[in-house]
Amino acid sequence: MCSIIGYRGDVSASKILVSGLRRMEYRGYDSVGVATFSDSQIRVKKGVGRVDQVNNRSNLQTLPGNIGIGHTRWATHGRVNETNAHPHMSSSGEIAIVHNGIIDNYKELKEILQGRKYFFKSETDSEIIANLLQYHYDITKDIKRSMIKTVRELKGDYSFVAIFADGTLAAARFHEPLIIGVGKKGFFISSDVLGFIEHTDEAIYPDNGEVVIINFGGIELFDFAGNPVMHHLTKISKEFADVYKGEYAHFTLKEIFEQPNSILRAGDNSRTEIEAFVSAIRDSRQIYITGSGTSYNAALVAKHLFLKYGKKKIDAIISSEVRFYPDYFDNQSTLIALSQSGESADVMEAVKIAKDSGAQILSIINTMTSSLAQISSISVGLNCGPEIGVAATKSFTSQLSIIYKIADMVCDKSIEFDLKKISTAMSKVLESSSRIQKTARVLKHASDIYIIGRGIHYPIALEAALKLKELTYIHAEGLPGGELKHGPLALMDSNSFVIVINPNDSTFNDTLTSAREIKARGAKIIGISDIESDVYDHWIEIPSINESAYPFLEIVPIQLLAYYAALENETDPDYPRNLAKSVTVK
Ligand code: AGP
């Protein structure tokens, strides 16, 4: 996923664009570029690397003019190099564009345009937008008509912003986010409110299939058929304004430490929706749950809770798998979709397949203005504030908070969990962060890390593995404790590191037995438990609490282990290589 941003107003565009890109960098950060319009000329500067690196190297902020566009890239088509970085210019240099998403039919459009003597420099799909706009503008000499003709030929999910030769900004969105900021200093167009939140909290949210034109006359919106559309101004909640690291070295660490508070706020602004969610589940015969990555791991926790405490069977399916089973759902189905961003393409595709089968769509989302919220019949908000670190931390435990609340209400209050008690216990775990940092040092030279858990701790083992992979780039694998003897034990030797999730609950003795089997093969054991054991080479203590609440506590030391091991391995915890915060491409 990439960041796109545009600005037209009374002050220098390049400074506004670079600062907005810096705040949206978590969306993708392979390369960066800016284009501005002044003295009837479009100037472009771009390069490989993070915003500050490219800005320091190429002085992005010195580009002249009060009109401009900017981009940070997460590469999908074409290598990470300067030529493939955005903005892309049309052959004649009269139009520049920045793009987020994928143009599925770019190859055929590229051939057609090459046949019409338009030439290309990059390997990207995005570049065809610039030349297709140029082709239609060369014929019509009309920006609005060029935009409509262009979007009618594009296939795929995309949003883009273009600068035309007279300084007009034009943008379009089709299943990729695009938001307009309306400020005193001018207009902003961005993938994310973070792109302009420091300038205005007034926004317009164009719908899918709409075009925006911003020129000396102001702003105009219309649909892909050319019909004018109106949208009211929305006030953006102030929570987005606090997107700063404060005294923390990284957003990831800040967000780990926010969890004792964020779990208490989960769902606070969706009380009515939670009630509706619960009755929808009670009335459902077939319940499915889906998500990607961390959200899928939260879905597995939900599956466990409903089965153990409510004898309700929920079928969990990874979102990217659904497309291979188009008949998975029917009009008796209810699909619960979990997604922090509400924009993950795999989740959106799974939801569309379910919706087309007549299924009811319920969702648990952090960004309530997202595409998933728009397509759901009931959406519950995580209310955990923006999560900037690419590795999901506070959003995961906030997902758990809401899942527990809903499961408890559906299972007639049979799940004993007290979020205030959990929050206090979480704070206690965070107090031992310096001890955990010392333990993280042993992982520095690990080549493989295994995490074992049984019952509800197995999804936590999967989540632990994902955190370690993402943050440290070390191979990590989550395993059900009972499966070791069926194969994985062959992997265990004196080079192995095994994290054992072993709270003092109904899984304790079996998991301790597994730990002894592993220890007998020479592996090093990190035990996460409220009870010490001689089998642990390193013990990370968590407070004792009732059985159902342990998942909230045991994931926190693992998040810290992964974060501190990332520092040891000198990776960037906030922006892991090859990843992006929300994967809006399939
Ligand atoms: C988790 O740490 C990763 N950032 C990733 O797996 C993420 O959970 C996944 O891409 C799903 O994102 P979503 O919750 O925004 O849909």
Side-chain angles (χ1 to χ4, degrees):
M1 176 188 65
C2 308
S3 307
I4 61 177
I5 187 168
Y7 171 75
R8 179 181 174 116
D10 312 329
V11 298
S12 156
S14 53
K15 288 183 180 55
I16 285 182
L17 297 169
V18 170
S19 150
L21 290 173
R22 197 178 288 122
R23 289 163 69 94
M24 293 194 289
E25 201 167 21
Y26 70 107
R27 299 170 59 91
Y29 33 88
D30 295 330
S31 56
V32 188
V34 168
T36 60
F37 174 85
S38 76
D39 312 325
S40 309
Q41 195 187 345
I42 297 174
R43 295 176 180 80
V44 176
K45 286 190 174 183
K46 55 188 184 177
V48 172
R50 299 278 301 282
V51 173
D52 287 338
Q53 290 167 330
V54 178
N55 187 37
N56 295 338
R57 202 166 55 228
S58 317
N59 297 315
L60 299 174
Q61 284 176 310
T62 58
L63 280 168
N66 295 354
I67 303 167
I69 57 177
H71 188 271
T72 64
R73 183 176 183 229
W74 182 68
T76 57
H77 293 67
R79 290 161 293 170
V80 177
N81 60 29
E82 184 165 326
T83 310
N84 291 335
H86 299 216
H88 291 289
M89 303 281 284
S90 60
S91 308
S92 61
E94 293 169 34
I95 295 173
I97 64 101
V98 289
H99 162 235
N100 177 33
I102 288 184
I103 306 300
D104 293 334
N105 59 337
Y106 82 96
K107 284 203 174 87
E108 48 261 43
L109 290 171
K110 190 167 183 172
E111 275 165 33
I112 293 167
L113 289 163
Q114 284 169 324
R116 293 169 179 160
K117 306 284 176 260
Y118 291 84
F119 60 83
F120 293 82
K121 297 181 198 127
S122 81
E123 303 159 328
T124 68
D125 56 331
S126 311
E127 194 180 5
I128 67 104
I129 299 173
N131 272 330
L132 190 56
L133 281 171
Q134 188 69 63
Y135 165 71
H136 286 302
Y137 187 77
D138 290 346
I139 294 169
T140 63
K141 299 298 177 208
D142 179 301
I143 290 172
K144 177 177 174 181
R145 288 174 61 202
S146 311
M147 286 292 288
I148 290 173
K149 285 176 176 295
T150 295
V151 294
R152 281 179 173 168
E153 292 186 57
L154 297 177
K155 289 195 177 63
D157 292 352
Y158 60 85
S159 56
F160 68 83
V161 188
I163 302 183
F164 282 78
D166 65 351
T168 296
L169 280 184
R173 77 163 291 213
F174 190 68
H175 293 301
E176 287 292 352
L178 196 71
I179 305 153
I180 300 161
V182 181
K184 294 186 181 62
K185 287 189 256 185
F187 290 105
F188 305 79
I189 306 178
S190 177
S191 317
D192 189 316
V193 290
L194 297 183
F196 56 76
I197 187 69
E198 54 193 317
H199 305 292
T200 179
D201 60 359
E202 301 236 301
I204 295 170
Y205 288 85
D207 287 337
N208 261 333
E210 290 187 353
V211 173
V212 185
I213 288 185
I214 299 174
N215 56 25
F216 58 89
I219 185 167
E220 186 190 355
L221 285 100
F222 44 90
D223 63 22
F224 280 11
N227 308 310
V229 293
M230 294 294 287
H231 291 287
H232 58 271
L233 265 185
T234 304
K235 202 89 173 148
I236 300 163
S237 51
K238 272 301 171 203
E239 68 177 19
F240 283 94
D242 81 348
V243 182
Y244 289 103
K245 288 183 275 200
E247 77 277 10
Y248 292 95
H250 294 98
F251 283 111
T252 305
L253 188 63
K254 173 176 179 254
E255 289 153 5
I256 290 171
F257 274 79
E258 280 179 13
Q259 293 179 110
N261 295 320
S262 52
I263 63 168
L264 297 175
R265 295 198 319 261
D268 270 4
N269 52 1
S270 312
R271 292 180 201 282
T272 330
E273 290 78 5
I274 288 177
E275 299 285 343
F277 204 108
V278 169
S279 48
I281 289 183
R282 280 210 180 99
D283 301 341
S284 300
R285 280 181 32 212
Q286 304 158 4
I287 305 172
Y288 301 84
I289 190 164
T290 194
S292 302
T294 289
S295 296
Y296 179 67
N297 295 332
L300 291 176
V301 174
K303 174 177 178 172
H304 173 93
L305 287 174
F306 276 99
L307 186 58
K308 183 176 172 83
Y309 296 100
K311 297 177 183 41
K312 248 187 187 309
K313 282 198 173 59
I314 290 190
D315 186 350
I317 180 166
I318 290 180
S319 297
S320 56
E321 286 294 298
V322 171
R323 71 175 78 164
F324 303 108
Y325 309 98
D327 303 321
Y328 206 82
F329 309 103
D330 62 29
N331 58 14
Q332 299 300 309
S333 308
T334 293
L335 176 64
I336 301 169
L338 299 181
S339 175
Q340 186 281 134
S341 62
E343 298 294 351
S344 293
D346 289 329
V347 177
M348 291 307 294
E349 184 180 53
V351 166
K352 282 173 201 155
I353 290 170
K355 206 169 170 83
D356 291 349
S357 310
Q360 176 183 217
I361 308 298
L362 313 179
S363 57
I364 299 174
I365 314 174
N366 195 27
T367 313
M368 294 305 280
T369 52
S370 59
S371 308
L372 179 56
Q374 291 178 354
I375 200 173
S376 303
S377 49
I378 305 170
S379 289
V380 171
L382 296 184
N383 194 37
C384 69
E387 185 177 65
I388 304 303
V390 166
T393 49
K394 64 175 181 176
S395 64
F396 177 66
T397 48
S398 293
Q399 286 172 330
L400 295 189
S401 288
I402 290 172
I403 286 166
Y404 273 68
K405 275 180 190 168
I406 288 171
D408 195 34
M409 290 163 77
V410 170
C411 307
D412 305 322
K413 297 289 175 204
S414 58
I415 305 174
E416 190 209 341
F417 82 105
D418 173 342
L419 279 173
K420 285 196 176 60
K421 220 162 67 173
I422 294 169
S423 170
T424 308
M426 249 188 194
S427 300
K428 207 158 165 47
V429 174
L430 290 167
E431 284 164 15
S432 57
S433 61
S434 45
R435 259 193 73 193
I436 295 169
Q437 183 170 13
K438 283 201 190 72
T439 305
R441 292 197 184 110
V442 303
L443 296 176
K444 184 177 173 64
H445 302 299
S447 54
D448 298 286
I449 304 172
Y450 302 93
I451 307 92
I452 66 167
R454 290 172 182 252
I456 199 168
H457 314 298
Y458 172 48
I460 304 300
L462 294 175
E463 174 56 14
L466 179 55
K467 290 290 92 61
L468 285 159
K469 276 191 272 258
E470 271 191 289
L471 290 173
T472 67
Y473 310 163
I474 297 171
H475 169 253
E477 187 178 350
L479 293 165
E483 279 300 288
L484 280 164
K485 51 192 178 296
H486 298 293
L489 205 55
L491 295 170
M492 301 298 160
D493 60 22
S494 56
N495 297 319
S496 310
F497 281 89
V498 182
I499 298 173
V500 179
I501 301 178
N502 194 22
N504 183 22
D505 68 1
S506 55
T507 68
F508 178 77
N509 291 321
D510 290 342
T511 303
L512 201 59
T513 306
S514 304
R516 292 198 190 286
E517 288 165 5
I518 298 164
K519 183 90 177 181
R521 273 75 185 176
K524 292 179 197 49
I525 309 280
I526 297 173
I528 295 184
S529 178
D530 37 340
I531 297 183
E532 191 163 16
S533 164
D534 60 352
V535 78
Y536 305 146
D537 296 293
H538 304 273
W539 175 40
I540 295 179
E541 184 178 7
I542 55 174
S544 295
I545 198 163
N546 55 293
E547 165 142 2
S548 62
Y550 278 116
F552 288 92
L553 303 191
E554 58 208 25
I555 191 60
V556 173
I558 295 172
Q559 291 169 344
L560 288 171
L561 266 179
Y563 169 76
Y564 289 123
L567 298 187
E568 291 292 328
N569 283 9
E570 292 169 13
T571 62
D572 182 335
D574 284 343
Y575 307 107
R577 67 184 177 192
N578 308 335
L579 301 182
K581 183 59 184 171
S582 165
V583 185
T584 61
V585 291
K586 289 167 206 154

